[in-house]
Amino acid sequence: MLLLRFLLAALASNIGLALTPVGNRPSGGQIFVAPHGSRAKQVDHNMEIFAPNGTLIHTFVDVMPGSASATKERRSLLAARQSLSATQASTTVIADPANVIEAFNTSFTVPALPKTFESQIIYLSATVVASNQGVEFAWYRCVLQYGANAFWGGPFWTMSTELELGPDGSLLVVVGEDFNPRVEVGATIQTSILHKDEGDDIFWYEATFNDQPTALEVGWHTPVSKVLIGLEEEGVTQPSEYPPEPFTFKDTNLTMTRGAPEVAWDVPSDSTTGAYVTVDVDGAVNAELTVHFLN
Ligand SMILES: *[C@@H]1O[C@H](CO)[C@@H](O)[C@H](O)[C@H]1NC(C)=O
Ligand SMILES: *[C@@H]1O[C@H](CO)[C@@H](O)[C@H](O)[C@H]1NC(C)=O
Ligand SMILES: *[C@@H]1O[C@H](CO)[C@@H](O)[C@H](O)[C@H]1NC(C)=O
């Protein structure tokens, strides 16, 4: 936890200017840390990050497609993201201001540790995806992560709330000094991403797990219409670096203002990982999706 204290101190001393990146992702984007209880709000093509007391602490510029630099860089984003391999199942609904996604919930059991640790990182997550005119630009998720990381060490499983932003894949991670993110093998986790009406013209979402206080609230100009569950991995080179058993997202629910929508989970076949997803129970209520590792 010493490193975490150091990071929080560094963070505090930088506030008022802009957040300083604490690391780089293999995909090229930078990693930033925000205090627990922060808010991320879309303002035109930017995402502005506010500390819990309302102070603006950082602006991610031009994350939205449509701005000149975002369009220019979209190609390089697609190329860069390939080093982070993904296997996902997703579903898209028709959302409008009168009928928004109200809740995206799922639950799972923390799996056994992979037999070997070779500094691989495995992310299993439930995500809402923001897009503009069909181009995705933000991914807000609850993540179960295996591996070691700069904040908490490892290798073990941790839970966190993250916001990934285009076009360069910057990542905003939220940490709390009093919060131990480590989770134990066999624990049951329920994640929820819930719409929150704040009486303004922003569509706010808060992601939580096991009813913890919300780490980060995120608000966009348009309602989100896509959700996904899945696996992302960095540096897996052999089957024993995956969890030894399949991983199931259970009791997966998607509700909208007018109730449960028609949902068919879509599993793309062009996976670049050694894993695949099956839809065991389809639909918007109690759906079940399993990640099978090729081991
Ligand atoms: C607001 O919070 C930030 C970050 O925690 C802190 O640096 C700043 O001093 C606070 N401002 C006020 C007015 O309390
Ligand atoms: C999904 O909905 C069902 C039926 O209402 C409920 O029993 C279950 O707990 C919900 N799942 C989650 C993860 O909230
Ligand atoms: C989603 O989870 C939240 C928080 O646990 C709960 O209040 C809500 O009823 C759940 N909704 C569904 C549809 O599962």
Side-chain angles (χ1 to χ4, degrees), residues 19-273:
L19 297 180
T20 310
V22 297
N24 286 295
R25 310 181 69 202
S27 50
Q30 293 181 310
I31 303 170
F32 298 84
V33 178
H36 208 273
S38 295
R39 287 155 67 92
K41 181 182 178 182
Q42 183 185 348
V43 177
D44 299 324
H45 294 292
N46 302 341
M47 286 298 285
E48 296 187 345
I49 313 301
F50 297 89
N53 65 12
T55 305
L56 178 66
I57 50 174
H58 194 81
T59 302
F60 289 95
V61 177
D62 284 344
V63 299
M64 278 266 295
S67 54
S69 65
T71 310
K72 197 173 66 216
E73 285 175 41
R74 200 183 304 150
R75 239 187 105 82
S76 58
L77 166 66
L78 291 176
R81 280 176 60 82
Q82 282 170 5
S83 60
L84 186 69
S85 303
T87 301
Q88 294 168 335
S90 66
T91 189
T92 303
V93 296
I94 296 168
D96 60 54
N99 190 33
V100 303
I101 291 175
E102 297 287 353
F104 178 43
N105 292 0
T106 190
S107 72
F108 50 80
T109 302
V110 178
L113 301 180
K115 287 202 184 67
T116 47
F117 178 62
E118 299 282 357
S119 71
Q120 78 273 26
I121 303 183
I122 291 169
Y123 308 90
L124 291 151
S125 59
T127 304
V128 294
V129 184
S131 60
N132 181 45
Q133 295 170 351
V135 181
E136 298 175 1
F137 70 92
W139 297 262
Y140 180 34
R141 59 193 168 221
C142 289
V143 192
L144 174 68
Q145 177 177 336
Y146 171 79
N149 71 38
F151 319 125
W152 303 302
F156 42 67
W157 292 104
T158 54
M159 280 297 301
S160 64
T161 306
E162 297 177 357
L163 176 66
E164 181 178 340
L165 295 167
D168 61 355
S170 291
L171 193 67
L172 185 70
V173 181
V174 179
V175 297
E177 199 170 0
D178 300 327
F179 176 66
N180 182 352
R182 184 169 177 171
V183 290
E184 299 304 326
V185 171
T188 300
I189 310 273
Q190 188 203 311
T191 72
S192 310
I193 305 180
L194 306 173
H195 172 239
K196 192 174 168 204
D197 186 352
E198 301 200 355
D200 54 12
D201 56 1
I202 298 288
F203 298 90
W204 289 101
Y205 283 87
E206 45 182 35
T208 66
F209 49 94
N210 290 0
D211 295 322
Q212 295 273 348
T214 301
L216 175 72
E217 272 181 53
V218 180
W220 289 290
H221 289 330
T222 48
V224 293
S225 58
K226 179 175 174 182
V227 299
L228 60 85
I229 62 91
L231 163 78
E232 287 179 286
E233 59 177 57
E234 292 170 10
V236 174
T237 57
Q238 51 180 331
S240 63
E241 293 173 26
Y242 283 127
E245 303 287 340
F247 178 91
T248 301
F249 292 90
K250 292 185 285 261
D251 306 325
T252 305
N253 298 331
L254 184 66
T255 48
M256 299 183 68
T257 316
R258 300 203 188 105
E262 282 288 313
V263 160
W265 286 90
D266 180 40
V267 181
S269 55
D270 60 348
S271 168
T272 53
T273 63

